[in-house]
Amino acid sequence: MLTATTATHCPYCALQCGMNLRPVGDGVEVVERTDFPVNRGALCGKGRTAPAVLSSRVRLDGPLVRRPATGRLEPATWEEALRTVADGLRGTREEYGADAVGVFGGGGLTNEKAYTLGKFARLVLGTSQIDYNGRFCMSSAAAAHQRAFGLDRGLPFPLEDIPRTGCVILVGSNLAETMPPALRYLTELKANGGRLIVVDPRRTRTAEQADLHLAPRPGTDLALALGLLHLVVAEGRTDEEFIESRTTGWAEARAAAMSHWPAQVERITGVPVPQLREAAAMFCDAPEGMVLTARGPEQQSKGTDTVGAWINLCLATGRAGRPLSGYGCLTGQGNGQGGREHGQKADQLPGYRKLDDPAARAHVAGVWGVDPNTLPGPGRSAYELLDALGTDIKALLLMGSNPVVSAPRAAHIQERIESLDFLAVADVVLSETAALADVVLPVTQWAEETGTLTNLEGRVLLRRRAVDPPEGVRTDLEVLNALAALLGWEKGFATDPEEVFDELRRASAGGPADYAGISYRRIAEEDGVFWPCPEPGHPGTPRLFLERFATPDGRARFVPVTHRAAGEETDAAYPVVLTTGRVVSQYQSGAQTRRVDELNAAAPGPFVELHPRLAGRLGVAEGEPVAVVSRRGRAVAPARITTGIRPDTVFMPFHWAGEGRANTLTNPALDPTSRMPEFKVCAVRLEAVRPQAGPAPQAGVVPEEDPAPRAGTAPQAAPPVGGGPAVSGGPAVGGG
């Protein structure tokens, strides 16, 4: 048990706010850590209440195995649980081949865990079928970063630069709710005389801080960015010297943008031409500027091109590769950045190396002591992997993710998971996905283990173990070590996180995300070290691209893009646009935060946010239930009526399971480059839900089809989800 205050970091978002843990009674409490530069002591409610998830009341404290006789998950010894997992994975591989075994990771896993999980998949299992839920986070921004700059790091500058720039365009981010401590950077920006433009279809708490709020129709951010670039060109505001000396491809990108004239962009987006002109002038009049994107423009079937259009705006105005200027992505998950850098992603090896690059394969294979030819090639992306469960992929090892709630077209993915021959889940709590498993392995969490994470700035940080885990819990590294041994690999899978990190450093050396010069000691002494850091004497790289971009010729690349429709547009049957997102008191699939009383009191359940005009046509009042129906299913939640949303749009948060599961509705249409699903745009209709006589219906999700349930799950009848009459007794309502 902790005997003195321990400096560590929050378990949630990619800010990775610094905090101190202090002993109190039998547990710990969070106290502010003012010396850490990212949050300077500030914490949101999730960070303050994080110790609640350490409680034995809410977390797993021993392995569970599903008993054939009862069909239920029941307590088991670690020996039995691990052997059952090893037998399940081995048997599947022997019967169907290595690629019939899948591995699915999480953006909250430490660098050490992510690295080891990727190594385990490729060496022990020999499978190419590994990806992680970070694919759902910022993969479109990563792909656009790579195309334009030759390197992907969420922010190419530290957060401390934001208040010192002249203008920030914040696209599709509600920082006030998703990363509350980061809002201070925007308030300081304004206090310093800088300007803030927020692009969001909702008037969020963040949008209320803006000097200018642009509210485009969801799915039209690409047209908006192109319209702004058109105005910049037409008004002679491009930085020709920068374009000539530091970029390539301008002529093609310019021509593509000029086909998006302002009146056309207004028709597509709903943003008036005068607001477009005001935004272009505000951005160009400032001496420096930044564009920051988040999930709004990224979680689209054209997310890579959308981010690329915003990057083109930065390049055309000389706002990249210069102090206090540039494009950046606000990473969502705690280790969304590091998670993909070191091997969880289907096409990448440690150090952000490409899996199909012979030199990269040779380097990593040398560190691992294997023949490069034994490493499998790239596999499926996250949604495609989940969609293949039960058909091509027969067994799955899942760590730190809850796709039953978080995946698009979630009822279908739940059905795919239930059709597996074998499912093993390692997690802190019994999530909705873990409840479907054949074996559940309880693992340590943030305050019970040491490990590194890489925050949205590219700052590698050290979380420190502060408390002892329960006796029946093991670390993920211990789990992978034991499974590797049972599957014939007695060596190569260390359980000490610092030993794993030192191996990761060697594997990343010379790669784009080079950690070779970073050590636990340096991280502790320097409040984190920015990668790339190729050798111990290197200072790290807080600011990228100031001298050259990471392309072969050192120049940034314009990429010509044009607007195109969303994967699913509205029509007479589904006339309203649904967009999804987060609320301040819950996090991701809610598997942990929904177990914290204080957070549930603040955000007890899902809701449907809609405009008064839409609510009036539907005939519902505040708090009354509303059914939202898409081509994939039906969800029901109370109405929350506000003028802060477009009349043609509804919003649902995605943190909850049950009948209010927003991802029952969402569209898995994939970006062709990043393979990001289109969480932010789908066509729906609304139905009033009238009280009916008889017993209250059982809470649960109505799937698009009636799956064959595993033991312990209750099937639900599926109502019609086509364009026919409303099934709830109330009118079906469209936009207005």
Side-chain angles (χ1 to χ4, degrees), residues 8 11 17-18 59 76 134 178 197 272 333 338 355 365 381 384 387 398 545 563 589 634 682 714 719:
T8 189
C17 291
R59 57 96 50 80
T178 59
I197 302 168
Q333 294 192 77
L355 187 54
S381 71
E384 292 164 307
D387 190 40
L398 185 146
F545 313 139
H563 178 71
S589 74
R634 181 174 187 266
C682 74

Side-chain angles (χ1 to χ4, degrees), residues 66 76 85 92 99 134 168 214 366 401 404 406 447 475 548 635 642 647 652:
R66 193 173 298 279
V85 174
T92 301
D99 276 357
V168 170
L214 308 179
S401 187
V404 165
S406 63
T475 70
R548 57 175 283 128
T642 173
M652 289 186 72

Side-chain angles (χ1 to χ4, degrees), residues 2-18:
L2 173 73
T3 58
T5 298
T6 300
T8 189
H9 295 274
C10 178
Y12 294 114
C13 81
L15 279 181
Q16 283 301 289
C17 291

Side-chain angles (χ1 to χ4, degrees), residues 170-179 186 198-202 204-207 292-297 330:
L170 184 66
V171 188
S173 170
N174 183 11
L175 273 181
E177 300 220 26
T178 59
M179 295 180 175
L186 300 181
V198 171
V199 179
D200 198 305
R202 305 165 61 219
T204 63
R205 289 171 54 200
T206 307
L292 306 176
T293 69
R295 305 302 79 75
L330 300 171

Side-chain angles (χ1 to χ4, degrees), residues 447-654:
E448 300 165 346
E449 60 188 12
T450 294
T452 62
L453 297 97
T454 307
N455 81 344
L456 76 172
E457 306 166 295
R459 188 194 301 253
V460 184
L461 303 167
L462 183 64
R463 277 199 205 148
R464 296 170 175 86
R465 175 169 170 159
V467 298
D468 295 330
E471 278 189 26
V473 171
R474 297 188 183 183
T475 70
D476 295 87
L477 296 181
E478 289 169 340
V479 167
L480 292 171
N481 170 280
L483 289 176
L486 288 169
L487 292 169
W489 288 75
E490 295 288 346
K491 297 181 180 180
F493 291 87
T495 59
D496 177 73
E498 189 167 8
E499 183 179 345
V500 175
F501 187 74
D502 286 341
E503 182 182 309
L504 179 158
R505 293 167 61 193
R506 297 193 300 276
S508 75
D514 192 334
Y515 284 31
I518 304 175
S519 65
Y520 274 27
R521 179 176 178 178
R522 278 196 66 181
I523 297 171
E525 292 175 348
E526 300 174 28
D527 278 331
V529 181
F530 291 84
W531 71 261
C533 182
E535 56 191 22
H538 192 282
T541 314
R543 295 170 181 85
L544 297 171
F545 313 139
L546 295 182
E547 297 180 1
R548 57 175 283 128
F549 294 96
T551 56
D553 61 4
R555 291 170 173 261
R557 295 181 287 245
F558 281 99
V559 178
V561 295
T562 57
H563 178 71
R564 60 184 185 272
E568 180 179 79
E569 293 287 340
T570 56
D571 56 20
Y574 300 93
V576 181
V577 179
L578 168 70
T579 192
T580 63
R582 287 173 48 191
V583 297
V584 67
S585 293
Q586 299 290 350
Y587 182 71
Q588 301 300 84
S589 74
Q592 295 182 50
T593 52
R594 285 188 276 116
R595 288 168 166 80
V596 179
D597 292 341
E598 182 179 330
L599 299 179
N600 284 332
F607 57 86
V608 180
E609 185 177 281
L610 68 164
H611 191 275
R613 190 186 310 170
L614 198 52
R617 294 183 61 190
L618 190 63
V620 299
E622 178 78 15
E624 292 183 345
V626 175
V628 184
V629 183
S630 79
R631 290 176 175 86
R632 289 153 296 280
R634 181 174 187 266
V636 179
R640 183 173 294 183
I641 301 170
T642 173
T643 58
I645 191 168
R646 293 175 54 96
D648 58 2
T649 301
V650 294
F651 167 83
M652 289 186 72
F654 56 73

